[in-house]
Amino acid sequence: MADGRNLRYDNAKGILIILVVVGHFLLPIKGNTRVCSNIFFLIYTFHMAAFTFISGLFSRGIYREIQGRKRFNWSRWFRTLVLYIVFEIITFFSEIPAYGKTSDFPNFLKDTGAPWYLFALLIWYLFIPFFSLFKDKYIRIGSDKKYRRNNIIYRKKALKIPCSLHLWICITILSLAGGYFQVFEKYLELDRVISFAPFFFAGYFLGQEKLEKYYDYRKVFSVFSSLNLLITAASVIAVGFFMFDYLWDYRYVVYGSWYEKVSPLGIDGRLYMGSLSTEWIVRLVWYIMAGNMTFTFLRFMPTGYIPFITKTGQRTLQIYILHRPIRDLILAAGYITCVDPSNLSQLSILIVCSVLLTVVLSAKIFAFPFSTLLYIVESCIASGAKSKSKSKYKFGSKGKDKSRSYNR
C-alpha cells in the first residue's frame, strides 16, 4: 500500500498497458510468422480480460451510498462518455492515413477499434444499480441443525450460496449464447460488450477486499491454486507454442467476435452438436484460459513499488488514448510493415520501441490535457447540479412565503 493505493493493481495495469501497446504494434504484421503470431495471440488471450476484470474490481464507486441514500455516479459516467467521444474522434482522423478510410464523420455507434473498451464500460456501468441489489445476499440451502455425539453438542449451519454467484453464472451463460446474435454486426460493439461482460462482473461481484483475502488465505486455496497454475501453464503452452500451427482457425475468439468468425469453416460450415453449433464451447475454453491466466497474473504481481511500471499503471488513460494515433501514423509511414517478423532482431526492436513509447507516454506532462478536460467536464456537471438545486430552493422558498402570507 502507498497513499491508500494497492500497488498490486497499479503494477498489473502498468504491465497490461505495455501489452496493449505491444499488441497494437504487432497487429499489422501478425499472421506472417509463427513466433510473431504466437506472441500476439498469447497477449490477446488474457490482457483485455485482465483489464476488464480490474475495472470491475474498482467499479463499486459508480453506485454508492451518499448521505444515507444510494446514488449513481453520473459524473464518472459522463467523464467516461467524453473520453470515448474524444478517443473516437482521434482514431477517426488517425485511421485515414493508416487504413485509407473515406467516411466523412466518425461513427460513434459502429466502431471496430480501441475505443470499444470505453463504450463497453458505459454499458456495464448502467447495469450495476440493478446488480447491486443482489450483493451481500445469500440463498440458504437447508437449515441450521444441532446434534449430539458423545455428549457433545455440534452445530451444523445451513449452506449459504451468494446470490451474486448465481447471477454471474447467468451472465456467463448469456454471454456464451450472445455470440449467435451476429445480426447486430458491429453496432454498438455489442459483440465485445457481451463477450467480455463476465470478466467485468466477476471483478465487480468479487471486489478488491475479497480477492486480497483469497490471495492471503493460502490453506483454503492450496488445491485451487494448484489447479489454477496447471491450467495457466497449459494455456500459455497451447497458445505460445501451438497457436499458429493448430489453433489458428479459432483466433477470433480472443477478440470477443461473433461466432460466424470463430467458426473454422465460416458461417456455412459450422460444427454442430445436435442442433446447436459448438462455437460456444470455444468461447467457454477461452473464458477458462483467460480467467486462470488473469488470476495467476494478479496473484504473483508484486505489491511494492516497481520503477516505471507502477507510475505507468497509474497513468494508463493517457497511454491508452495517445498511443493509438502515434501507432497509426507510424503505420502510415510504413515503418511497421517494413519489419520482417521472421527476423527476430527486427521483431525485438519493434517490441522494445513500443515498450519505450509506453514509458514516454506515461510522463506527467501527457496527463495535463486529460486532467484539464476531465476538470472542465466535472465543473460543468457540478455547476449544472448547483443551478438545479438553487432552482429547487427558490421554488421551495416561494412556496413557503406564500403559505406564510396565506396564514396571515
Coordinates of all heavy atoms in Angstrom, one line a residue, residues 45-107:
T45 N -4.9 -13.3 -25.5 CA -5.7 -14.3 -24.8 C -6.2 -13.8 -23.5 O -7.3 -14.1 -23.1 CB -4.9 -15.6 -24.7 OG1 -4.6 -16.1 -26.0 CG2 -5.7 -16.6 -23.9
F46 N -5.4 -12.9 -22.8 CA -5.8 -12.5 -21.5 C -5.7 -11.1 -21.2 O -6.3 -10.6 -20.2 CB -4.9 -13.3 -20.5 CG -3.7 -12.7 -20.1 CD1 -3.6 -12.0 -18.9 CD2 -2.5 -12.7 -20.9 CE1 -2.4 -11.4 -18.5 CE2 -1.4 -12.1 -20.6 CZ -1.3 -11.4 -19.4
H47 N -5.0 -10.3 -22.0 CA -4.7 -8.9 -21.5 C -5.9 -8.0 -21.3 O -6.1 -7.3 -20.4 CB -3.6 -8.2 -22.4 CG -4.1 -7.6 -23.6 ND1 -4.9 -8.4 -24.5 CD2 -3.9 -6.4 -24.2 CE1 -5.1 -7.6 -25.6 NE2 -4.6 -6.4 -25.4
M48 N -6.9 -8.1 -22.3 CA -8.1 -7.3 -22.1 C -9.0 -7.9 -21.1 O -9.8 -7.2 -20.4 CB -8.8 -7.1 -23.5 CG -8.0 -6.1 -24.4 SD -7.6 -4.6 -23.6 CE -9.2 -3.9 -23.1
A49 N -9.0 -9.2 -21.0 CA -9.8 -9.9 -20.0 C -9.3 -9.4 -18.6 O -10.2 -9.2 -17.7 CB -9.7 -11.4 -20.1
A50 N -8.0 -9.3 -18.4 CA -7.5 -8.9 -17.1 C -7.8 -7.4 -16.9 O -8.2 -7.1 -15.7 CB -6.0 -9.1 -17.1
F51 N -7.7 -6.6 -17.9 CA -8.0 -5.2 -17.7 C -9.5 -5.0 -17.4 O -9.9 -4.2 -16.5 CB -7.7 -4.4 -19.0 CG -6.7 -3.4 -18.9 CD1 -5.6 -3.3 -19.8 CD2 -6.7 -2.5 -17.9 CE1 -4.6 -2.4 -19.7 CE2 -5.7 -1.5 -17.8 CZ -4.7 -1.5 -18.7
T52 N -10.4 -5.8 -18.0 CA -11.8 -5.7 -17.7 C -12.1 -6.2 -16.3 O -12.9 -5.6 -15.6 CB -12.6 -6.6 -18.7 OG1 -12.2 -6.2 -20.1 CG2 -14.1 -6.5 -18.6
F53 N -11.4 -7.2 -15.9 CA -11.6 -7.7 -14.5 C -11.2 -6.7 -13.5 O -11.9 -6.4 -12.5 CB -10.8 -9.0 -14.3 CG -10.9 -9.6 -12.9 CD1 -12.0 -10.3 -12.5 CD2 -9.8 -9.4 -12.0 CE1 -12.1 -10.8 -11.2 CE2 -9.9 -9.9 -10.8 CZ -11.0 -10.6 -10.4
I54 N -10.1 -6.0 -13.7 CA -9.6 -5.0 -12.8 C -10.6 -3.8 -12.8 O -10.8 -3.2 -11.7 CB -8.2 -4.5 -13.2 CG1 -7.2 -5.7 -12.9 CG2 -7.7 -3.3 -12.3 CD1 -5.8 -5.4 -13.4
S55 N -11.1 -3.4 -13.9 CA -12.1 -2.4 -14.0 C -13.3 -2.7 -13.2 O -13.9 -1.9 -12.5 CB -12.5 -2.1 -15.5 OG -11.4 -1.6 -16.2
G56 N -13.7 -4.0 -13.2 CA -14.8 -4.4 -12.4 C -14.6 -4.4 -10.9 O -15.4 -4.0 -10.1
L57 N -13.3 -4.7 -10.6 CA -12.9 -4.6 -9.1 C -13.1 -3.2 -8.6 O -13.5 -3.0 -7.4 CB -11.4 -5.0 -9.0 CG -11.1 -6.5 -9.1 CD1 -9.6 -6.7 -9.0 CD2 -11.8 -7.3 -8.0
F58 N -12.8 -2.2 -9.4 CA -12.9 -0.8 -8.9 C -14.1 0.0 -9.4 O -14.1 1.2 -9.5 CB -11.6 -0.1 -9.4 CG -10.4 -0.6 -8.7 CD1 -9.6 -1.6 -9.3 CD2 -10.0 -0.1 -7.5 CE1 -8.4 -2.1 -8.7 CE2 -8.8 -0.6 -6.8 CZ -8.1 -1.6 -7.5
S59 N -15.2 -0.8 -9.8 CA -16.4 -0.1 -10.3 C -17.4 0.1 -9.3 O -18.5 0.7 -9.6 CB -17.0 -1.0 -11.4 OG -17.4 -2.3 -10.9
R60 N -17.2 -0.2 -8.0 CA -18.2 0.0 -7.0 C -18.5 1.4 -6.8 O -19.6 1.8 -6.3 CB -17.8 -0.7 -5.7 CG -17.7 -2.2 -5.8 CD -17.5 -2.8 -4.4 NE -17.5 -4.3 -4.5 CZ -17.5 -5.1 -3.5 NH1 -17.4 -4.6 -2.3 NH2 -17.5 -6.4 -3.6
G61 N -17.6 2.3 -7.1 CA -17.8 3.7 -6.9 C -18.8 4.3 -7.8 O -19.3 5.5 -7.6
I62 N -19.2 3.6 -8.8 CA -20.2 4.1 -9.8 C -21.6 4.1 -9.2 O -22.5 4.9 -9.6 CB -20.2 3.2 -11.1 CG1 -20.9 4.0 -12.2 CG2 -20.9 1.9 -10.9 CD1 -20.1 5.2 -12.8
Y63 N -21.8 3.4 -8.1 CA -23.1 3.4 -7.5 C -22.9 3.2 -6.0 O -22.6 2.1 -5.5 CB -24.0 2.2 -8.0 CG -25.4 2.2 -7.5 CD1 -26.3 3.3 -7.8 CD2 -25.9 1.2 -6.7 CE1 -27.6 3.3 -7.4 CE2 -27.2 1.2 -6.2 CZ -28.1 2.3 -6.6 OH -29.4 2.3 -6.1
R64 N -22.9 4.3 -5.3 CA -22.5 4.3 -3.9 C -23.5 5.0 -3.0 O -24.4 5.8 -3.5 CB -21.1 5.0 -3.8 CG -21.1 6.4 -4.3 CD -19.7 6.9 -4.4 NE -19.7 8.2 -5.1 CZ -18.6 8.9 -5.3 NH1 -17.4 8.5 -4.9 NH2 -18.7 10.1 -5.9
E65 N -23.3 4.9 -1.7 CA -24.2 5.5 -0.7 C -23.7 6.9 -0.4 O -22.6 7.0 0.1 CB -24.4 4.6 0.5 CG -25.4 5.1 1.5 CD -25.6 4.1 2.6 OE1 -25.3 2.9 2.4 OE2 -26.1 4.5 3.6
I66 N -24.5 7.9 -0.6 CA -24.2 9.2 -0.2 C -25.3 9.8 0.7 O -26.5 9.8 0.2 CB -24.0 10.1 -1.5 CG1 -22.9 9.6 -2.4 CG2 -23.7 11.6 -1.1 CD1 -22.8 10.3 -3.7
Q67 N -24.9 10.2 1.9 CA -25.9 10.8 2.8 C -27.1 9.8 3.1 O -28.2 10.2 3.1 CB -26.4 12.1 2.4 CG -25.3 13.2 2.3 CD -25.8 14.5 1.8 OE1 -27.0 14.6 1.3 NE2 -25.0 15.5 1.8
G68 N -26.7 8.5 3.2 CA -27.7 7.5 3.6 C -28.6 7.1 2.4 O -29.6 6.3 2.6
R69 N -28.2 7.5 1.2 CA -29.0 7.1 0.0 C -28.1 6.7 -1.1 O -27.1 7.4 -1.4 CB -29.9 8.3 -0.4 CG -30.8 8.0 -1.6 CD -31.6 9.2 -1.9 NE -32.5 9.0 -3.1 CZ -33.2 9.9 -3.7 NH1 -33.3 11.1 -3.2 NH2 -34.0 9.6 -4.7
K70 N -28.4 5.6 -1.8 CA -27.5 5.2 -2.9 C -27.8 6.0 -4.1 O -29.0 6.2 -4.5 CB -27.7 3.7 -3.2 CG -27.1 2.8 -2.1 CD -27.1 1.3 -2.6 CE -26.3 0.5 -1.6 NZ -26.2 -0.9 -2.0
R71 N -26.7 6.4 -4.8 CA -26.9 7.3 -5.9 C -25.9 6.8 -7.0 O -24.8 6.3 -6.7 CB -26.5 8.7 -5.6 CG -27.5 9.4 -4.6 CD -27.1 10.8 -4.3 NE -27.9 11.4 -3.2 CZ -29.0 12.0 -3.5 NH1 -29.5 12.1 -4.7 NH2 -29.7 12.5 -2.5
F72 N -26.3 6.9 -8.3 CA -25.5 6.6 -9.4 C -24.5 7.7 -9.7 O -24.9 8.9 -9.7 CB -26.4 6.3 -10.6 CG -25.6 5.8 -11.8 CD1 -25.3 4.4 -11.9 CD2 -25.1 6.6 -12.8 CE1 -24.6 3.9 -13.0 CE2 -24.4 6.1 -13.9 CZ -24.2 4.7 -14.0
N73 N -23.3 7.4 -9.9 CA -22.2 8.4 -10.1 C -22.3 8.9 -11.5 O -21.4 8.4 -12.4 CB -20.9 7.8 -9.7 CG -19.8 8.9 -9.6 OD1 -20.0 10.0 -10.1 ND2 -18.7 8.5 -9.0
W74 N -23.2 9.7 -11.9 CA -23.3 10.2 -13.2 C -22.1 11.0 -13.7 O -21.7 11.1 -14.9 CB -24.5 11.1 -13.4 CG -25.8 10.3 -13.4 CD1 -26.7 10.2 -12.4 CD2 -26.3 9.4 -14.4 NE1 -27.7 9.3 -12.8 CE2 -27.5 8.8 -14.0 CE3 -25.7 9.0 -15.7 CZ2 -28.2 7.9 -14.8 CZ3 -26.5 8.1 -16.5 CH2 -27.7 7.6 -16.0
S75 N -21.4 11.6 -12.7 CA -20.2 12.4 -13.0 C -19.1 11.5 -13.6 O -18.5 11.8 -14.7 CB -19.6 13.1 -11.8 OG -18.4 13.7 -12.0
R76 N -18.9 10.3 -13.0 CA -17.9 9.4 -13.6 C -18.4 8.8 -14.9 O -17.6 8.6 -15.8 CB -17.8 8.2 -12.5 CG -16.8 7.2 -13.0 CD -16.6 6.2 -11.8 NE -15.8 5.1 -12.2 CZ -15.4 4.1 -11.4 NH1 -15.8 4.1 -10.1 NH2 -14.7 3.0 -11.8
W77 N -19.7 8.6 -15.0 CA -20.2 8.0 -16.3 C -20.0 9.0 -17.4 O -19.6 8.7 -18.5 CB -21.7 7.7 -16.1 CG -22.3 6.9 -17.2 CD1 -22.3 5.5 -17.3 CD2 -22.9 7.4 -18.4 NE1 -22.9 5.1 -18.5 CE2 -23.3 6.2 -19.2 CE3 -23.2 8.6 -18.9 CZ2 -24.0 6.3 -20.4 CZ3 -23.9 8.7 -20.1 CH2 -24.2 7.6 -20.9
F78 N -20.3 10.3 -17.2 CA -20.2 11.3 -18.3 C -18.7 11.6 -18.6 O -18.4 11.9 -19.7 CB -20.9 12.6 -17.8 CG -22.4 12.6 -18.1 CD1 -23.3 12.6 -17.0 CD2 -22.9 12.6 -19.4 CE1 -24.6 12.6 -17.3 CE2 -24.2 12.6 -19.6 CZ -25.1 12.6 -18.6
R79 N -17.8 11.5 -17.6 CA -16.4 11.6 -17.9 C -16.0 10.5 -18.8 O -15.2 10.7 -19.8 CB -15.6 11.5 -16.6 CG -15.7 12.7 -15.7 CD -14.6 12.8 -14.7 NE -14.4 11.6 -13.9 CZ -15.0 11.4 -12.7 NH1 -15.8 12.4 -12.2 NH2 -14.8 10.3 -12.1
T80 N -16.4 9.3 -18.6 CA -16.1 8.2 -19.5 C -16.7 8.4 -20.9 O -16.0 8.1 -21.9 CB -16.6 6.8 -18.9 OG1 -16.2 6.7 -17.6 CG2 -16.2 5.6 -19.7
L81 N -17.9 8.9 -20.9 CA -18.5 9.2 -22.2 C -17.7 10.2 -23.0 O -17.5 10.1 -24.2 CB -20.0 9.7 -22.0 CG -20.7 10.2 -23.3 CD1 -20.9 9.0 -24.2 CD2 -22.1 10.8 -22.9
V82 N -17.3 11.3 -22.4 CA -16.5 12.3 -23.0 C -15.2 11.7 -23.5 O -14.8 12.0 -24.7 CB -16.2 13.5 -22.1 CG1 -15.2 14.5 -22.7 CG2 -17.5 14.2 -21.8
L83 N -14.5 10.9 -22.7 CA -13.3 10.3 -23.2 C -13.5 9.4 -24.4 O -12.7 9.3 -25.3 CB -12.7 9.5 -22.0 CG -12.1 10.3 -20.8 CD1 -11.7 9.4 -19.7 CD2 -10.9 11.1 -21.3
Y84 N -14.6 8.7 -24.4 CA -15.0 7.8 -25.5 C -15.1 8.7 -26.8 O -14.6 8.3 -27.8 CB -16.2 7.0 -25.2 CG -16.8 6.4 -26.5 CD1 -16.1 5.3 -27.1 CD2 -18.0 6.8 -27.1 CE1 -16.6 4.7 -28.2 CE2 -18.5 6.3 -28.2 CZ -17.8 5.2 -28.8 OH -18.3 4.6 -29.9
I85 N -15.8 9.8 -26.7 CA -16.1 10.6 -27.9 C -14.7 11.2 -28.4 O -14.5 11.2 -29.6 CB -17.1 11.7 -27.5 CG1 -18.4 11.1 -27.2 CG2 -17.2 12.8 -28.7 CD1 -19.4 12.2 -26.7
V86 N -13.9 11.7 -27.4 CA -12.6 12.2 -27.8 C -11.7 11.2 -28.5 O -11.1 11.4 -29.5 CB -11.9 12.8 -26.6 CG1 -10.4 13.2 -26.9 CG2 -12.6 14.0 -26.1
F87 N -11.7 10.0 -27.9 CA -10.9 8.9 -28.4 C -11.4 8.5 -29.8 O -10.6 8.2 -30.7 CB -10.9 7.7 -27.5 CG -9.8 6.7 -27.7 CD1 -8.8 7.0 -28.6 CD2 -9.8 5.5 -27.0 CE1 -7.8 6.0 -28.8 CE2 -8.8 4.6 -27.2 CZ -7.8 4.8 -28.1
E88 N -12.7 8.4 -30.0 CA -13.3 8.1 -31.3 C -12.9 9.1 -32.3 O -12.6 8.7 -33.5 CB -14.8 8.0 -31.1 CG -15.5 7.4 -32.3 CD -15.2 6.0 -32.6 OE1 -15.2 5.2 -31.6 OE2 -15.0 5.6 -33.8
I89 N -12.9 10.3 -32.0 CA -12.6 11.4 -33.0 C -11.1 11.3 -33.3 O -10.7 11.4 -34.5 CB -12.9 12.8 -32.4 CG1 -14.4 12.9 -32.3 CG2 -12.4 13.9 -33.3 CD1 -14.9 14.2 -31.6
I90 N -10.2 11.1 -32.3 CA -8.8 11.0 -32.6 C -8.5 9.8 -33.5 O -7.8 9.9 -34.5 CB -8.0 10.8 -31.3 CG1 -8.1 12.1 -30.5 CG2 -6.6 10.4 -31.5 CD1 -7.5 12.0 -29.1
T91 N -9.1 8.6 -33.2 CA -8.8 7.4 -34.1 C -9.4 7.6 -35.5 O -8.9 7.0 -36.4 CB -9.4 6.2 -33.4 OG1 -10.7 6.3 -33.1 CG2 -8.6 5.9 -32.1
F92 N -10.5 8.3 -35.6 CA -11.1 8.5 -36.9 C -10.1 9.2 -37.8 O -10.0 8.8 -39.0 CB -12.4 9.4 -36.7 CG -13.0 9.9 -38.1 CD1 -13.6 9.0 -38.9 CD2 -12.8 11.2 -38.4 CE1 -14.1 9.5 -40.1 CE2 -13.3 11.7 -39.6 CZ -14.0 10.8 -40.5
F93 N -9.5 10.3 -37.3 CA -8.5 11.0 -38.2 C -7.2 10.3 -38.3 O -6.6 10.4 -39.4 CB -8.3 12.4 -37.6 CG -9.4 13.3 -37.7 CD1 -10.3 13.7 -36.6 CD2 -9.7 13.9 -39.0 CE1 -11.3 14.5 -36.8 CE2 -10.8 14.8 -39.1 CZ -11.6 15.1 -38.0
S94 N -6.8 9.5 -37.3 CA -5.5 8.8 -37.5 C -5.6 7.6 -38.4 O -4.6 7.2 -39.0 CB -5.0 8.4 -36.1 OG -5.9 7.4 -35.5
E95 N -6.8 7.0 -38.5 CA -7.0 5.9 -39.3 C -7.1 6.2 -40.8 O -7.1 5.3 -41.7 CB -8.2 5.1 -38.9 CG -8.0 4.3 -37.6 CD -9.2 3.5 -37.1 OE1 -10.3 3.7 -37.7 OE2 -9.1 2.7 -36.2
I96 N -7.3 7.5 -41.1 CA -7.4 7.9 -42.5 C -6.1 7.6 -43.3 O -6.1 7.0 -44.3 CB -7.9 9.3 -42.6 CG1 -9.3 9.5 -42.2 CG2 -7.8 9.8 -44.1 CD1 -9.8 11.0 -42.1
P97 N -5.0 8.1 -42.8 CA -3.7 7.7 -43.5 C -3.3 6.3 -43.2 O -2.6 5.7 -44.1 CB -2.7 8.7 -42.9 CG -3.2 9.0 -41.5 CD -4.7 9.0 -41.7
A98 N -3.7 5.7 -42.1 CA -3.2 4.4 -41.8 C -3.9 3.3 -42.6 O -3.3 2.3 -43.1 CB -3.3 4.1 -40.3
Y99 N -5.3 3.4 -42.7 CA -6.1 2.4 -43.4 C -6.8 2.9 -44.6 O -7.5 2.2 -45.2 CB -7.0 1.8 -42.4 CG -6.4 1.1 -41.2 CD1 -6.4 1.8 -39.9 CD2 -5.8 -0.1 -41.3 CE1 -5.7 1.2 -38.9 CE2 -5.2 -0.7 -40.2 CZ -5.2 -0.1 -39.0 OH -4.6 -0.7 -37.9
G100 N -6.7 4.2 -44.9 CA -7.3 4.8 -46.1 C -8.8 4.9 -45.9 O -9.6 4.7 -46.9
K101 N -9.3 5.1 -44.7 CA -10.8 5.3 -44.5 C -11.3 6.5 -45.2 O -10.6 7.6 -45.2 CB -11.1 5.3 -43.0 CG -10.9 3.9 -42.4 CD -11.6 3.9 -41.0 CE -11.5 2.5 -40.4 NZ -12.2 2.4 -39.1
T102 N -12.5 6.5 -45.7 CA -13.0 7.6 -46.5 C -14.3 8.2 -46.0 O -14.9 9.1 -46.6 CB -13.3 7.1 -48.0 OG1 -14.2 6.0 -48.0 CG2 -12.0 6.7 -48.7
S103 N -14.8 7.7 -44.9 CA -16.0 8.3 -44.3 C -15.8 9.7 -43.9 O -14.7 10.1 -43.5 CB -16.5 7.4 -43.2 OG -15.5 7.3 -42.2
D104 N -16.9 10.5 -43.9 CA -16.8 11.9 -43.6 C -16.8 12.2 -42.1 O -16.3 13.2 -41.7 CB -17.9 12.7 -44.3 CG -17.8 12.6 -45.8 OD1 -16.7 12.5 -46.3 OD2 -18.9 12.6 -46.5
F105 N -17.5 11.4 -41.4 CA -17.7 11.6 -40.0 C -17.5 10.3 -39.2 O -17.7 9.2 -39.7 CB -19.1 12.1 -39.7 CG -19.5 13.4 -40.4 CD1 -20.2 13.4 -41.5 CD2 -19.0 14.6 -39.9 CE1 -20.5 14.5 -42.2 CE2 -19.3 15.8 -40.6 CZ -20.1 15.8 -41.7
P106 N -17.0 10.4 -38.0 CA -16.8 9.2 -37.1 C -18.2 8.7 -36.8 O -19.1 9.4 -36.5 CB -16.1 9.8 -35.9 CG -16.4 11.2 -35.8 CD -16.5 11.7 -37.3
N107 N -18.2 7.3 -36.8 CA -19.5 6.6 -36.5 C -19.4 6.2 -35.0 O -18.7 5.2 -34.7 CB -19.7 5.4 -37.4 CG -21.1 4.8 -37.3 OD1 -21.7 5.1 -36.3 ND2 -21.5 4.1 -38.2

